[in-house]
Amino acid sequence: MTEFEIFKADLTNDEHQRAVVAMLDAYSADPMGNGKPLSDYARSNLVSGLAGHPTTLIFLATRGSRPCGIAVCFRGFSTFAARPLINVHDFYVDAEVRGQGVGRALLDAVEREARKTGCCKLTLEVQENNSKARAIYDKFGFAQTVHVADAGGALFLSKPLG
């Protein structure tokens, strides 16, 4: 197994900023991401936008000095449980290190933070046909949310605003 390090990103640190942009650009370009690299606008404004958002929580994975994975999370709140939660908004592991435990270590770090801060749950979204990611998430204990069996499972919907 390749050695790697998992840590919370410090968005005031230039090296961490570069790693966040590089990992999110790679994820965006991935067919299971957005299928194309980040726009010039996103690349230029990503760090300041994340830093200015009050609930941002980012974990980076590095091998040596090279970034190899990222979990971009946002803290939220469950009204049904009246407790905080953490949403894993973006999750990416570089193809070169997939299958070596980086993804599991990132998810473990997110879960440790959630437990430490009294969260009731972790949430995420995943592409329906991303079978590799879905298998990892299933092993980690993620499942489709069902509040009431007769209502069926929860779906994640969006409405682009331009």
Side-chain angles (χ1 to χ4, degrees), residues 44-80:
S44 297
N45 293 280
L46 183 59
V47 170
S48 62
L50 288 167
H53 191 75
T55 69
T56 299
L57 173 66
I58 300 173
F59 291 90
L60 284 169
T62 57
R63 182 175 60 185
S65 61
R66 186 176 167 270
C68 61
I70 190 167
V72 177
C73 307
F74 298 101
R75 298 175 193 276
F77 191 80
S78 169
T79 53
F80 293 167

